[in-house]
Amino acid sequence: RWNIIFHTLPTLTLVIYLNIVLSSDNLLVLTVATKETDGFRRFMRSARHFNYTVLGNGDTWNGGDYMTAPGGGQKVNLLKAALQNMEEDKVVLFIDSYDVVFASGPKELLKKFQQTNHKVVFSAETLIWPDRHLEDKYPHVREGKRFLGSGGFIGYVPNLKEMVSDWSGKDNDSDQLFFTKIYINPEKRKSINITLDNKCRMFQNLYGSLDEVVLKFEDGRVRARNVLYDTLPVIVHGNGPTKLQINYLGNYIPKVWTFETGCSGCLEDLRPLSGLKESEYHWWFIGIFIQQPTPFVSVFFERLHKTGIPPKPTQTLHLQPGERNKLYNGEQHHEGQVNSFLKDHGTDYLDVKVIGPEENIDRETSRNLGFEMCRQDKDCEYFFSVDIEVVLKNKDTLKILIEQNEPVIAPMITREGRLWTNFWGALSADGYYARSEDYVDIVQRRRVGVWNVPYLTKVYMVKASVLREELSANDLFSFGNMDMDMAFCHNVRNKGVFMYVTNMHTFGRLLSTENYQMTHLHNDLWQIFENPMDWEERYIHENYTKIMRDKLIETPCPDVYWFPILSVTGCDHIVEEMENFGQWSGGGNTDTRIQGGYENVPTIDIHMTQINYQKEWHKILLDYVAPITEKMYPGYYTKAQFELAFVVRYKPDEQPLLRPHHDASTFTVNIALNQKQIDYQGGGCRFLRYNCSVEAPRKGWALMHPGRLTHYHEGLRVTAGTRYIAVSFVDP
């Protein structure tokens, strides 16, 4: 098309400017893609988004290694051959692909190209490479980047032909050095009409320029903005050691994630599982790794057994056929829980392999063995790796990950109340954790999507096809002095495989293994401070949170309140902990455990202090009893301090009852730890002043009543079995 612009000058001379506006049909994109990598697929998605016409070549790559030495001569050979059959009026964009994304379309690119008034335009760089001794031969520029980058250039076919006409190099020779020598030769530079995109209007090379580039969110799209030159480059290239940065930008550009549309890129290339027949279920391995003493291991196995693809109609126990399991137990402390799980559910799996601590296999080897098992089994399609401290709450986790259809993908899990997760958004210069700009928004789910990240740990899924091809090395968990997870991620990145984390759903959390005591029968009871949510799910009554909403507080006697507090498991573990401790008092008046050494109304009991549970018990009273107290006794506020908290045991042949008495408390909390008619007969509590009895206390329910003055009471006779109650004398 022709734009004709008329200007009338003072001398009445008529001047006509003829400007040929190139059409997108004139543009061909030429790239070298010897393999369809994750980076190439990203490149092509961005190209299709803007309707670029891309030509490529599937030859084996012989062009050397860009990260360690000059190379890329094969690109020049391929370009030279391709140009021979191209029409003379075409404009060719020659660009790398594995680490490139388009940020805008052909129309803008061609417009900016024409505005340079040159026939060939190369991308520009801050740093000179590969021969710094050529620096003085480069022409100086008043503003902008001075050095040529061969990773991207655009030009007319005749000029490009002239530029490569003298090339006779080998595939592994340096294309960068070849083009540099042409550019620094004034005669050739003028003859071919070459210039550099000094201010990154078309090309943005990231190496040496990371501080210049930020994301610019526009209406429904995302650009890269060079803040140094205030330009919006059309093409962004993660050249050299900036692959992580192009991965970060590629999470957004051009329209992968926007504030208006969210993650539109997350809906591409999915592998839907709905509607599959049972014969079409996927086969996968699950690798479970126990590498340190960890709380709530039995809960982990219970939850694992309820996870399947697709879930059964009842969403209950059995994992689908076609699943195999590899269990690495490097921690002897949990051997009983592992054996219990395998006894109950081992036959539900096609195959189970357990590597125990007695085999003396290190962590790295155990994980490599898991991958190898999947590689060798032709039916294995996925390997799901999960550490025992991961709390997966979403029963559809495996289904979600498979449907997302990524090579390596992890569900985002967090540590409650902290910004710690199982991924890193960026790496520091020395390869350790660094916080990306979007990390907090992703962790707090203000930005929801599927994110290309440099590091995953604790839980992730790997495609078996990737394990058999790109990640076929025998040892993926070792590299130099790196720890196991850093080494794995380093090796994955070096193979050009992308790792993703998804926060499109909530999946769960990570347990804290710090300060985990192993000196008790039920060590999880002591986890109320370290892992409060998991402790609550395990030990607090399932109806506790419904107390106020559903009016579950009952009043069996005047000013006596009855409400659920402890779960069945919580009750059982407290009883078993006390019996395991075994040092029950004799039931006499002399008691050296209390101040003064004399007990007026003695019971056969064990104090919470004796098992070092006083801090945890105070936390239970403060978090779960105090709110009820303040609701039921308006105007009364408690810090839940107690002089005595203990578990009492009633048996017909030991201490069957307790005579009438007042408690030495402002109010008393009495929790039934086992069930009448099942564990014992008789029993209960009678308030004499009101002639009112609670004779069938419910397991896990608490009776709360005033202590010193109004509620004179007695413990009713146990006629058979053993009754346990947890008693707390609470004062402000």
Side-chain angles (χ1 to χ4, degrees):
R1 298 198 308 274
W2 298 80
N3 283 353
I4 303 178
I5 307 170
F6 295 88
H7 288 279
T8 302
L9 300 180
T11 59
L12 300 180
T13 303
L14 186 64
V15 180
I16 302 177
Y17 293 97
L18 298 180
N19 180 26
I20 301 176
V21 180
L22 291 172
S23 166
S24 298
D25 295 335
N26 291 98
L27 179 67
L28 293 176
V29 179
L30 188 60
T31 188
V32 178
T34 59
K35 187 175 183 181
E36 190 173 316
T37 65
D38 296 330
F40 179 74
R41 284 186 283 269
R42 175 182 60 196
F43 169 81
M44 288 303 299
R45 281 194 296 268
S46 69
R48 287 193 299 267
H49 180 78
F50 293 112
N51 295 315
Y52 281 96
T53 300
V54 180
L55 306 178
N57 193 296
D59 293 345
T60 301
W61 176 249
N62 300 309
D65 183 354
Y66 278 94
M67 297 298 293
T68 57
Q74 186 179 9
K75 293 197 302 181
V76 188
N77 285 323
L78 295 172
L79 172 62
K80 188 174 182 179
L83 288 171
Q84 300 308 312
N85 300 317
M86 289 187 181
E87 299 174 13
E88 297 290 306
D89 64 339
K90 294 295 184 182
V91 175
V92 172
L93 170 66
F94 195 79
I95 192 75
D96 289 348
S97 59
Y98 295 155
D99 49 8
V100 169
V101 291
F102 288 104
S104 190
K107 183 177 180 180
E108 180 179 337
L109 177 65
L110 290 172
K111 179 181 178 181
K112 290 180 174 179
F113 171 52
Q114 284 189 283
Q115 288 172 345
T116 66
N117 292 319
H118 286 76
K119 300 299 184 180
V120 176
V121 180
F122 274 84
S123 66
E125 299 197 37
T126 304
L127 306 174
I128 185 172
W129 190 83
D131 187 352
R132 61 183 179 86
H133 298 98
L134 298 177
E135 179 176 352
D136 292 339
K137 296 185 179 181
Y138 267 89
H140 289 275
V141 295
R142 286 183 296 178
E143 184 181 11
K145 300 181 185 300
R146 185 180 169 197
F147 305 112
L148 178 145
S150 66
F153 55 89
I154 187 171
Y156 292 95
V157 168
N159 304 81
L160 294 178
K161 284 183 177 180
E162 181 183 352
M163 183 175 69
V164 299
S165 61
D166 292 336
W167 169 264
S168 58
K170 299 178 181 177
D171 282 350
N172 60 355
D173 287 342
S174 174
D175 62 327
Q176 173 90 13
L177 187 59
F178 171 71
F179 291 130
T180 296
K181 289 182 176 179
I182 292 175
Y183 179 70
I184 63 178
N185 184 316
E187 294 181 359
K188 289 186 177 181
R189 184 168 68 245
K190 182 178 180 180
S191 172
I192 301 170
N193 199 359
I194 303 175
T195 190
L196 303 186
D197 181 28
N198 304 102
K199 296 184 180 179
C200 306
R201 299 181 72 245
M202 289 181 283
F203 303 97
Q204 176 65 67
N205 290 317
L206 295 179
Y207 187 38
S209 304
L210 293 177
D211 294 339
E212 301 172 12
V213 181
V214 298
L215 289 171
K216 183 179 186 293
F217 292 90
E218 299 177 345
D219 292 338
R221 64 182 292 189
V222 186
R223 301 289 298 264
R225 175 175 175 241
N226 187 301
V227 295
L228 182 61
Y229 307 117
D230 195 20
T231 55
L232 297 174
V234 177
I235 297 159
V236 186
H237 182 195
N239 58 319
T242 62
K243 303 300 182 268
L244 302 186
Q245 287 72 25
I246 191 64
N247 290 350
Y248 167 76
L249 297 174
N251 283 328
Y252 297 92
I253 300 171
K255 198 180 178 180
V256 180
W257 190 97
T258 71
F259 286 105
E260 292 80 11
T261 63
C263 187
S264 57
C266 301
L267 304 178
E268 299 179 6
D269 303 324
L270 299 179
R271 185 181 186 181
L273 298 181
S274 58
L276 287 182
K277 300 177 182 178
E278 186 169 340
S279 60
E280 298 173 315
Y281 291 161
H282 303 283
W283 295 57
W284 67 94
F285 279 65
I286 294 182
I288 305 168
F289 299 92
I290 309 175
Q291 299 179 330
Q292 59 189 337
T294 304
F296 305 107
V297 167
S298 58
V299 180
F300 172 92
F301 284 122
E302 292 169 11
R303 193 176 290 119
L304 172 73
H305 200 59
K306 297 178 183 179
T307 304
I309 302 177
K312 285 184 173 292
T314 56
Q315 297 182 352
T316 54
L317 293 178
H318 298 292
L319 288 164
Q320 296 299 331
E323 180 173 359
R324 300 177 188 268
N325 190 17
K326 173 183 179 294
L327 181 58
Y328 169 73
N329 177 27
E331 178 50 56
Q332 195 165 5
H333 173 72
H334 294 301
E335 195 165 358
Q337 292 155 313
V338 172
N339 292 336
S340 177
F341 170 73
L342 295 179
K343 179 181 178 182
D344 294 338
H345 302 297
T347 56
D348 297 333
Y349 299 86
L350 283 179
D351 186 27
V352 176
K353 178 175 178 59
V354 180
I355 301 175
E358 70 281 355
E359 297 189 42
N360 198 31
I361 293 178
D362 61 36
R363 301 179 179 188
E364 294 80 3
T365 302
S366 69
R367 293 178 187 262
N368 284 316
L369 284 174
F371 281 173
E372 188 59 27
M373 288 174 61
C374 180
R375 290 189 192 102
Q376 296 301 321
D377 191 318
K378 63 181 178 60
D379 294 318
C380 179
E381 291 191 69
Y382 300 93
F383 188 94
F384 183 64
S385 175
V386 57
D387 289 5
I388 201 73
E389 60 264 37
V390 172
V391 179
L392 285 178
K393 299 288 291 180
N394 191 326
K395 63 180 179 58
D396 294 325
T397 296
L398 295 174
K399 176 177 181 290
I400 291 167
L401 297 184
I402 287 178
E403 287 189 325
Q404 206 59 54
N405 199 25
E406 300 294 359
V408 182
I409 187 169
M412 187 186 78
I413 55 172
T414 60
R415 184 163 287 170
E416 191 64 28
R418 297 172 61 181
L419 290 174
W420 196 99
T421 66
N422 62 320
F423 78 94
W424 295 350
L427 297 182
S428 64
D430 54 359
Y432 288 89
Y433 170 82
R435 179 173 292 184
S436 61
E437 293 180 7
D438 56 1
Y439 179 80
V440 174
D441 282 345
I442 293 173
V443 173
Q444 297 179 345
R445 300 191 75 236
R446 292 195 292 266
R447 300 185 188 184
V448 174
V450 179
W451 311 95
N452 188 335
V453 297
Y455 175 89
L456 299 171
T457 185
K458 303 299 181 185
V459 54
Y460 48 83
M461 176 175 282
V462 186
K463 280 186 176 180
S465 58
V466 176
L467 288 176
R468 297 186 184 106
E469 295 177 13
E470 293 94 334
L471 303 181
S472 60
N474 292 329
D475 185 4
L476 291 173
F477 292 92
S478 299
F479 187 84
N481 295 323
M482 292 183 180
D483 69 31
M484 176 181 65
D485 293 321
M486 291 178 64
F488 171 68
C489 294
H490 170 86
N491 291 329
V492 172
R493 294 193 307 269
N494 272 11
K495 290 297 182 179
V497 176
F498 288 173
M499 295 176 287
Y500 294 89
V501 65
T502 172
N503 67 341
M504 293 185 69
H505 307 262
T506 54
F507 293 98
R509 56 186 176 268
L510 188 76
L511 292 171
S512 170
T513 57
E514 301 169 5
N515 305 316
Y516 182 55
Q517 302 181 41
M518 296 183 292
T519 57
H520 308 285
L521 179 64
H522 295 295
N523 298 294
D524 295 348
L525 276 171
W526 276 257
Q527 286 294 300
I528 190 170
F529 294 106
E530 296 294 332
N531 294 290
M533 290 187 67
D534 299 272
W535 187 94
E536 180 177 302
E537 290 178 2
R538 183 75 163 153
Y539 292 123
I540 293 300
H541 198 286
E542 61 182 358
N543 290 327
Y544 176 82
T545 56
K546 305 175 184 177
I547 286 176
M548 298 302 179
R549 186 191 69 193
D550 296 345
K551 300 180 180 179
L552 295 183
I553 298 179
E554 300 179 19
T555 310
C557 300
D559 286 329
V560 176
Y561 300 104
W562 200 14
F563 56 90
I565 184 168
L566 292 182
S567 67
V568 170
T569 301
C571 295
D572 292 344
H573 283 193
I574 290 173
V575 169
E576 292 166 9
E577 197 67 46
M578 293 301 182
E579 288 291 359
N580 182 66
F581 181 72
Q583 298 180 28
W584 296 94
S585 65
N589 295 106
T590 301
D591 192 342
T592 57
R593 299 171 301 172
I594 62 176
Q595 188 175 2
Y598 182 81
E599 173 57 69
N600 187 42
V601 186
T603 55
I604 292 179
D605 57 51
I606 295 175
H607 290 188
M608 296 296 180
T609 54
Q610 291 178 263
I611 62 168
N612 295 318
Y613 202 64
Q614 62 274 20
K615 292 181 180 179
E616 290 76 11
W617 193 254
H618 176 254
K619 179 72 171 171
I620 295 171
L621 296 177
L622 190 63
D623 287 357
Y624 301 102
V625 174
I628 308 300
T629 303
E630 294 167 6
K631 188 73 174 180
M632 295 298 101
Y633 302 124
Y636 177 78
Y637 301 97
T638 179
K639 296 181 180 179
Q641 302 293 337
F642 58 85
E643 286 294 326
L644 287 176
F646 49 94
V647 172
V648 180
R649 183 174 72 183
Y650 291 108
K651 296 172 69 173
D653 58 351
E654 191 175 68
Q655 181 180 3
L657 53 82
L658 189 62
R659 64 179 177 83
H661 62 283
H662 283 295
D663 291 336
S665 66
T666 301
F667 68 92
T668 296
V669 179
N670 180 330
I671 304 173
L673 297 178
N674 56 352
Q675 188 66 51
K676 187 174 182 177
Q677 305 302 336
I678 297 176
D679 301 308
Y680 64 91
Q681 303 291 328
C685 182
R686 176 171 176 259
F687 296 93
L688 280 69
R689 179 187 180 101
Y690 308 105
N691 192 28
C692 178
S693 299
V694 181
E695 296 186 0
R698 301 162 190 159
K699 185 174 182 178
W701 282 56
L703 281 176
M704 184 173 67
H705 59 82
R708 288 189 175 88
L709 185 61
T710 57
H711 283 62
Y712 193 59
H713 60 285
E714 64 180 334
L716 301 178
R717 181 179 295 275
V718 173
T719 59
T722 303
R723 179 189 178 207
Y724 297 93
I725 59 173
V727 180
S728 303
F729 294 163
V730 183
D731 285 306

